[in-house]
């Protein structure tokens, strides 16, 4: 299967007049709070579908840029056919970009396409956005690397969001290598977030942390476990950063809003 850059798959939308302005352009450093969260299409560990409690969690933690995984867009009855990225953008007054890694025709003619993938929400303008499909094995589910350029108070941040496969170590390692290849050696400040479906000592994580620093090991307190939400025993959700981002704190807020827990971190963007 040919791997291609599929910018057309990704929807990029600016909510006019709703996103934050860009103050403090002259500041030498810009403080930024980021969240990554696998939202399980909005269904909590308690089985309740509730986007509002996810939005409230994002607000409560002051997240300015958010990477979401397992996001439905007109997907099925499980999420009430809702366009979830648009809903979050409207509710939180944020810009957004969406990457449909699964893109199926509608059940009935004239209805929207059924999509499932990742989303980026931002209080700051999103200048451009691409989604690149990652290596796929015959029994796997298509995954992608979504990359946005976010203009944070006059500075550009390359923000990448991904969700690596859960059921094949070799496939996941190949995906991690592709992520490193795609992100390359750019000097632009870079933050990679997502559900990487592997513990910190796994080869695929070491492939990524060979080029990007693991925020949790620098400033997190405790094990940082993120799954299962009601009794977490493993750390598989990450925020990895380039040297131009200096982490100051990281936390795993407790919530039943998904089967995962989110990871929230604060940085100074130099």
């Amino acid at each position: 299967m040919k791997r291609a850059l599929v910018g057309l798959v990704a929807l990029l939308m600016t909510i006019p007049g709703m996103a934050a302005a860009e103050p403090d352009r002259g500041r030498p450093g810009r403080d930024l709070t980021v969240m990554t969260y696998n939202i399980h299409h909005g269904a909590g560990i308690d089985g309740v579908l509730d986007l509002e409690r996810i939005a409230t969690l994002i607000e409560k933690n002051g997240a300015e840029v958010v990477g979401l995984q397992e996001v439905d867009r007109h997907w099925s009855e499980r999420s009430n056919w809702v366009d979830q990225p648009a809903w979050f953008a409207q509710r939180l007054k944020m810009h957004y970009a969406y990457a449909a890694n699964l893109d199926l025709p509608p059940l009935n003619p004239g209805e929207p396409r059924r999509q499932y993938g990742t989303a980026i929400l931002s209080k700051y303008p999103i200048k451009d956005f691409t989604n690149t499909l990652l290596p796929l094995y015959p029994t796997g589910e298509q995954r992608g690397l979504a990359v946005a350029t976010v203009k944070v108070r006059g500075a550009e941040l390359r923000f990448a969001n991904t969700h690596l496969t859960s059921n094949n170590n070799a496939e996941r390692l190949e995906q991690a290598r592709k992520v490193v290849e795609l992100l390359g050696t750019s000097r632009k400040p870079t933050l990679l977030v997502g559900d990487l479906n592997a513990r910190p000592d796994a080869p695929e994580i070491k492939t990524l942390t060979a080029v990007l620093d693991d925020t949790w090991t620098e400033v997190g307190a405790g094990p940082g476990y993120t799954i299962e939400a009601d009794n977490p025993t493993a750390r598989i959700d990450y925020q990895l950063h380039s040297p131009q981002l200096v982490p100051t704190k990281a936390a795993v807020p407790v919530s039943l809003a998904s089967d995962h827990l989110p990871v929230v971190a604060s940085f100074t963007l130099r």
Side-chain angles (χ1 to χ4, degrees), residues 20-39:
E22 295 185 72
D24 308 322
R25 284 180 177 269
R27 292 177 58 185
R30 298 156 179 84
D31 296 332
L32 183 68
T33 299
V34 176
M35 176 184 285
T36 183
Y37 199 5
N38 180 326
I39 65 168

Side-chain angles (χ1 to χ4, degrees), residues 140-200:
E141 176 186 285
Q142 184 65 67
R143 306 298 172 111
L145 177 70
V147 181
T149 299
V150 179
K151 192 92 174 277
V152 182
R153 298 192 295 274
E156 289 190 357
L157 169 68
R158 184 171 61 162
F159 187 84
N161 181 23
T162 194
H163 181 195
L164 302 186
T165 193
S166 63
N167 58 5
N168 189 309
N169 295 350
E171 181 181 15
R172 189 165 53 247
L173 179 57
E174 193 171 339
Q175 291 172 346
R177 289 170 175 162
K178 185 64 176 179
V179 168
V180 170
E181 175 189 328
L182 290 168
L183 293 181
T185 57
S186 172
R187 295 184 178 181
K188 184 180 293 187
T190 298
L191 188 57
L192 170 66
V193 308
D195 174 3
L196 305 184
N197 267 315
R199 297 169 186 257

Side-chain angles (χ1 to χ4, degrees), residues 6-11 73 98-103 115 129 131 133:
V6 287
L8 292 178
V9 175
L11 175 65
R73 188 166 185 254
Y98 183 66
N101 294 317
L102 300 183
D103 186 14
Q115 298 178 326
F129 180 72
N131 186 53
L133 300 181

